[in-house]
Amino acid sequence: MPQNDLTSVTPAQKATGSARPRKVPRIVVLGGGSVGLYVARRLRKKLKKSDAAIVVVDPRPYMTYAPFLPEAGAGSIEARDVVAPHRWALKGVDVLQGKVTAIDHGDKRVTIQPEAGESYEVTYDELVVGLGSVSRTLPIPGLAETAIGFKNVEEAIAVRNHVLNRMDVASSTWDADLRKRMLTFTFIGGGFAGVEAIAEIEDMARYATRNYATIDPSDLRFVMIEGSGRILPEVSEPMGEWALEEMKKRGIEFHLNTFLNSCVDGHVTTSTGVEFDSDTIVWTAGVKANPVLKEASDLPIDRLGRVIVLPTLQVATEDGEVVPDAWSAGDCAAVPDVLNPGKFCPPNAQHAIREAKRLADNIAAKRAGKQVEEYAHKSVGVVASLGLYKGVAELFGFLKLRGFLAWAAHRSYHVLAMPTGNRKIRIVIGWIGQFLMGREIISLGSVHDPRDEFRKAAVPPAPAGTKVEQKAESSAETAAEGKVVESSPATK
């Protein structure tokens, strides 16, 4: 049952300007990702239900743990295990599934558009903005029509299914040019997301070729296009160079200092004049703060569309004046890095989770009349997977790992960071199953359009006003009649 009535603004109250009184203060958390989920969980532990009602708003019913998306896309982890269902992970918290379309902090209300039905408003006493980010795209011809992102679990699984489907189709196609196009896989963006995605997917595809008599690993072409002069800017240059050379040894083709100019109908052209055809184009070239903050919010934002916050994670104006009862963290917030003055905390899961905990502690402290504290965290390092048993890692500022040890560090760190023990156990069991039985490499392409087969089988609708004669028949009777009809010519 809800902690209190969430539909706090009725049409009648809108007309009179009155507000329905609440039994307890309400804290609304926008976004159910790393920030939103951890803030809500921690607040629920620190505050009694009589102290505050906590409401989380998100268009999805689960939090996606983004660092595991490449492994989910490669079939190393079951897709359902890289998400934490809100209704399981957020006990004692009200969850509203819908998209935030407007934020009016002046009147302390947000507008929510559910998947079905009319939009509605929810009022609050304190607001936490953890809306995260969306893919940062560019007006490149053909990009919107042909490319796919790698920002959520649906996209990761769609990429996996598409790659395996192209291999399935190519294995029975004898047109050399068509096969080459189908077996060319292009990734745009050489940051952590892009490098891990192409490395894991390439590893999976080459593993899958053992089941295709007509496809050799050398037939696969994996291409990465990156606008800067290096990959993995999150690690030191020597480690980035090592990762680049290792991936080149696997046959992955890199075009650095290169931009995508066009990909209309899968025909890729670059700023350096390279042209080729590719049925698979994956966009991983950066993210931007959720656009609702810039388009429909009265919260102060910076030039990049991020919410301006103080090191205490309180929303503030450009002059540093605190905006009462508003907090923000994660990808959608410009969080000052107090350990590196003049810089901001990077938008990764490591910082988002820790920012969320500090933010929740500060809300609890403020409500108890205590002093709020600044968020300060020295990064423990970075870890990246480059495929099964391969990785790169820099830990504690001095420990540099490559290959298997880096891969093991990547898995260990992220499985510990995965919320809920249930998901941790499922992931580990999945890894054990994969080790014993190998990768799961079946393509279930139809899951993206399950009604396709039914539409093709459907009879065109009758003209308006025509009476459709229907007769009750069992499927067994229909099948039996079909056999009689098929055999009747031979029995005559």
Side-chain angles (χ1 to χ4, degrees):
M1 293 293 291
Q3 300 162 58
N4 53 43
D5 191 353
L6 294 175
T7 55
S8 55
V9 182
T10 66
Q13 290 168 336
K14 285 182 182 180
T16 60
S18 62
R20 181 179 300 171
R22 284 193 288 273
K23 297 179 181 179
V24 297
R26 178 184 297 153
I27 301 173
V28 169
V29 181
L30 303 183
S34 295
V35 170
L37 184 136
Y38 277 92
V39 165
R41 281 164 63 91
R42 198 169 183 91
L43 281 175
R44 190 69 292 162
K45 291 179 181 178
K46 288 183 167 290
L47 302 177
K48 298 179 181 178
K49 289 188 177 181
S50 58
D51 294 331
I54 303 169
V55 182
V56 172
V57 184
D58 195 275
R60 291 185 173 87
Y62 51 79
M63 175 213 122
T64 301
Y65 189 66
F68 275 148
L69 285 182
E71 289 202 50
S76 297
I77 302 177
E78 170 61 39
R80 288 173 294 185
D81 295 340
V82 302
V83 300
H86 289 152
R87 300 185 192 281
W88 175 278
L90 296 174
K91 301 296 185 182
V93 174
D94 291 319
V95 178
L96 296 178
Q97 189 174 338
K99 181 180 180 181
V100 177
T101 57
I103 302 171
D104 183 358
H105 189 64
D107 286 339
K108 289 192 174 181
R109 63 183 60 185
V110 295
T111 304
I112 301 169
Q113 177 60 62
E115 186 173 334
E118 297 182 357
S119 62
Y120 56 90
E121 294 179 341
V122 171
T123 59
Y124 57 83
D125 296 281
E126 290 202 68
L127 179 71
V128 176
V129 181
L131 290 171
S133 58
V134 299
S135 294
R136 177 178 56 82
T137 59
L138 299 171
I140 297 171
L143 184 66
E145 294 78 15
T146 59
I148 185 171
F150 208 85
K151 187 75 172 58
N152 54 56
V153 69
E154 296 91 344
E155 290 175 331
I157 303 309
V159 169
R160 172 175 176 266
N161 283 337
H162 180 72
V163 169
L164 292 173
N165 173 265
R166 293 296 84 191
M167 294 178 69
D168 286 336
V169 177
S171 67
S172 300
T173 301
W174 310 116
D175 184 316
D177 291 335
L178 190 56
R179 271 174 57 92
K180 185 176 181 180
R181 176 191 179 103
M182 290 178 178
L183 298 179
T184 298
F185 310 101
T186 308
F187 288 69
I188 316 298
F192 254 41
V195 168
E196 288 192 316
I198 194 173
E200 289 282 357
I201 296 296
E202 183 269 348
D203 204 38
M204 174 204 69
R206 296 198 186 281
Y207 174 88
T209 56
R210 65 184 66 187
N211 295 319
Y212 295 90
T214 59
I215 299 180
D216 188 82
S218 61
D219 294 333
L220 304 179
R221 182 186 183 189
F222 280 82
V223 182
M224 169 159 282
I225 298 172
E226 165 57 34
S228 68
R230 57 167 296 192
I231 63 169
L232 294 176
E234 298 87 348
V235 302
S236 64
E237 191 165 350
M239 293 296 279
E241 284 293 330
W242 179 85
L244 177 65
E245 292 305 316
E246 287 298 305
M247 294 173 73
K248 282 183 176 180
K249 291 177 184 178
R250 290 157 54 178
I252 300 177
E253 183 180 329
F254 287 86
H255 295 271
L256 304 181
N257 295 310
T258 304
F259 298 96
L260 176 68
N261 279 354
S262 173
C263 56
V264 176
D265 296 328
H267 182 70
V268 176
T269 62
T270 72
S271 58
T272 56
V274 175
E275 294 189 33
F276 58 89
D277 291 324
S278 175
D279 267 1
T280 306
I281 300 172
V282 183
W283 181 267
T284 62
V287 296
K288 63 180 180 180
N290 194 306
V292 73
L293 296 170
K294 184 176 182 180
E295 298 169 0
S297 165
D298 59 355
L299 296 173
I301 59 173
D302 67 4
R303 62 182 182 82
L304 298 179
R306 301 173 299 181
V307 179
I308 299 173
V309 298
L310 300 177
T312 56
L313 304 174
Q314 294 169 292
V315 177
T317 64
E318 293 183 359
D319 298 328
E321 183 179 347
V322 173
V323 176
D325 305 322
W327 311 75
S328 187
D331 293 6
C332 68
V335 180
D337 188 344
V338 297
L339 300 180
N340 296 285
K343 297 184 178 181
F344 296 98
C345 294
N348 58 34
Q350 181 182 155
H351 279 282
I353 293 172
R354 287 169 172 78
E355 288 168 8
K357 294 177 179 178
R358 169 48 53 202
L359 192 158
D361 289 347
N362 280 349
I363 289 179
K366 173 177 170 289
R367 298 183 68 83
K370 300 179 181 178
Q371 191 74 21
V372 295
E373 298 181 16
E374 294 183 343
Y375 169 74
H377 170 66
K378 184 177 181 180
S379 175
V380 297
V382 290
V383 290
S385 170
L386 301 179
L388 197 59
Y389 309 130
K390 300 175 281 290
V392 60
E394 291 184 326
L395 304 174
F396 312 114
F398 66 90
L399 184 60
K400 301 181 187 300
L401 303 176
R402 303 172 179 176
F404 177 81
L405 289 178
W407 171 83
H410 169 270
R411 282 199 165 184
S412 300
Y413 173 81
H414 286 303
V415 77
L416 290 174
M418 184 72 193
T420 78
N422 174 289
R423 281 320 188 250
K424 289 181 173 69
I425 294 171
R426 285 177 179 272
I427 289 172
V428 172
I429 291 175
W431 283 337
I432 295 172
Q434 181 207 51
F435 177 77
L436 296 175
M437 296 177 286
R439 291 179 188 264
E440 180 57 72
I441 54 171
I442 186 67
S443 168
L444 296 176
S446 62
V447 300
H448 305 297
D449 188 6
R451 293 189 63 249
D452 180 60
E453 196 73 19
F454 184 78
R455 284 196 301 267
K456 292 176 180 177
V459 177
T466 303
K467 183 178 180 180
V468 179
E469 184 178 350
Q470 300 186 62
K471 180 181 178 182
E473 293 178 331
S474 70
S475 57
E477 289 173 344
T478 304
E481 289 179 5
K483 290 179 181 179
V484 171
V485 171
E486 290 172 3
S487 62
S488 58
T491 57
K492 287 182 179 179

